[in-house]
Amino acid sequence: MTTDDPPPIRRLSEWDAARLRDLADEHGTPLYVIDQGRVRENVANLEQAFHAEAISYAVKANTVRTTLETVADTGLDAECASAGEVKRAVEAGFEAVRYTAVNPPAADLDHVVSLSDAVEDLDLVITIGAADTLAALEERGYDGPLAIRVNPGVGAGHHAKVTTGDAPKFGVPFDRVPDLASDVLDRGFDLVGLHAHAGSGIHDEDDLQAHRELVARMGELARDLDHDLDFLNVGGGLGVPYRPDEAPLNLDRVASATREAAGDLDATLGIEPGRYVVADAGVLLTTVNTVKPTPETTVVGVDAGMTTLLRPAMYDAYHEIRSLAPDADDREATAATVAGPICETADVLGRDRPLPAPERGDVLAIGNAGAYGYEMASNYNSRPRPAVVSLDGSESELAVERETLSDLTRLEIEQ
């Protein structure tokens, strides 16, 4: 790596505290901040390591319009899991879109099929994970390229809830793929690829070994099919270090291992990272509203909670938390449990964290919030969703407005 190469990870300590405080003052909290420059750096890291492979961005990681436009401008393709994501990707300027349908609702298929004819020069591939979806596409008159999502029986990821490669919900069972491929061709469809995905947040050696096993199985399957494919996509899920003492992935090593596991292919090998592109490009800012000493811990109540950042409650995920108080370095450290305003015991963003003695009005920053942060925000407890600010160099702009209490009932019909 030369001195001009972007660093492999951006730690929470590297964000400019004064600038983040200014953004919190200007826009209020809770507030997501996404750095488009870091998004580009992460894409550059991926392209340097996976230079021979096709890279698609897993749109579900972050669909904020400015972020999608940034990724589209780098030249990556888009991988989408819903009609809404396809719509967002097309409107953001992606020229090549793969719709990976997971038990797709009829309305999703209607929209995506209509786009295949309505959007000029759109390179659209629909990936099916069940024979039923093939029949549904045939009923709608779809005649574009298809790929098959395979269940290779190999899963990995940071939590059981995001391990997909061995879950029956995802993909066609490995041994049934040749028969489905023959059926696709017999019905006159253009079978262009195979797809599989081990899971999300692949980071440790066990996860990487599972990823290599999945790739090896998929490479074998691609060679055994009596049909030439354009691509073999082996998914994404590349993890990032959420804890400050964790090392980042060695992308060159992962890329080499992926190529080696795939073996000789006539098809292009592809990956679809999402988290790696955006996670460390985003932080969540939140303001302390309550400091409550208890016999067990000091509870630090903040205005962000599980409706703002769901991952800790959903996956027991760890996110680093940093005080942005100007005099933070002069305060004595306190073991704090950072909790939100939601009426749930699960509404905790971090337990027993060493923080400079917190005070009401302090702004805290929560790291690695660019992936699956704003995407999973909800209105539970009738709480409005937060605003999003986009940074690009010295410039900043509001990318998503903060919801208001009036927005919560905007779609409701008065009787």
Side-chain angles (χ1 to χ4, degrees), residues 302 304-306 309 312 317 319 321 338-340 347-351 353 366:
V302 296
M306 60 186 284
L309 178 65
H319 285 261
I321 301 176
V338 180
D347 185 34
V348 174
L349 300 176
R351 300 181 187 276
R353 301 295 182 84
I366 301 174

Side-chain angles (χ1 to χ4, degrees), residues 207-287:
D207 289 341
L208 293 174
Q209 180 56 40
H211 173 71
R212 287 190 287 266
E213 183 180 349
L214 176 146
V215 174
R217 296 202 74 187
M218 292 299 294
E220 178 184 352
L221 179 60
R223 286 185 290 273
D224 287 346
L225 282 185
D226 188 22
H227 178 71
D228 292 333
L229 301 171
D230 293 342
F231 67 83
L232 172 64
N233 189 289
V234 294
L238 301 178
V240 298
Y242 282 86
R243 296 176 183 268
D245 57 349
E246 289 178 335
L249 278 179
N250 184 323
L251 280 185
D252 290 335
R253 177 169 169 258
V254 174
S256 296
T258 302
R259 295 185 194 106
E260 181 179 348
D264 292 332
L265 294 172
D266 291 330
T268 298
L269 185 61
I271 62 168
E272 51 177 43
R275 181 189 313 270
Y276 191 92
V277 175
V278 293
D280 71 347
V283 295
L284 170 62
L285 304 183
T286 183
T287 300

Side-chain angles (χ1 to χ4, degrees), residues 73-264:
D73 286 345
T74 69
L76 298 194
D77 297 340
E79 186 274 331
C80 302
S82 70
E85 289 181 4
V86 172
K87 181 178 187 296
R88 287 175 180 271
V90 170
E91 291 178 354
F94 284 94
E95 297 179 354
V97 174
R98 191 173 70 258
Y99 170 48
T100 306
V102 181
N103 303 328
D108 274 35
L109 291 179
D110 290 342
H111 180 77
V112 175
V113 170
S114 70
L115 284 180
S116 66
D117 296 324
V119 181
E120 188 176 356
D121 297 327
L122 176 63
D123 180 4
L124 173 68
V125 176
I126 296 181
T127 302
I128 62 171
D132 259 2
T133 306
L134 177 64
L137 289 171
E138 193 171 44
E139 292 168 3
R140 287 163 172 76
Y142 178 74
D143 59 0
L146 285 180
I148 297 174
R149 179 166 186 167
V150 181
N151 186 317
V154 180
H158 69 84
H159 194 280
K161 293 179 180 178
V162 295
T163 300
T164 59
D166 57 357
K169 173 180 177 178
F170 298 96
V172 177
F174 188 85
D175 57 355
R176 299 182 190 175
V177 173
D179 288 343
L180 181 57
S182 295
D183 194 22
V184 168
L185 296 170
D186 289 345
R187 295 192 190 196
F189 286 97
D190 182 15
L191 179 62
V192 296
L194 296 177
H195 164 83
H197 177 58
S200 184
I202 296 171
H203 192 260
D204 64 23
E205 189 55 41
D206 288 343
D207 289 341
L208 293 174
Q209 180 56 40
H211 173 71
R212 287 190 287 266
E213 183 180 349
L214 176 146
V215 174
R217 296 202 74 187
M218 292 299 294
E220 178 184 352
L221 179 60
R223 286 185 290 273
D224 287 346
L225 282 185
D226 188 22
H227 178 71
D228 292 333
L229 301 171
D230 293 342
F231 67 83
L232 172 64
N233 189 289
V234 294
L238 301 178
V240 298
Y242 282 86
R243 296 176 183 268
D245 57 349
E246 289 178 335
L249 278 179
N250 184 323
L251 280 185
D252 290 335
R253 177 169 169 258
V254 174
S256 296
T258 302
R259 295 185 194 106
E260 181 179 348
D264 292 332

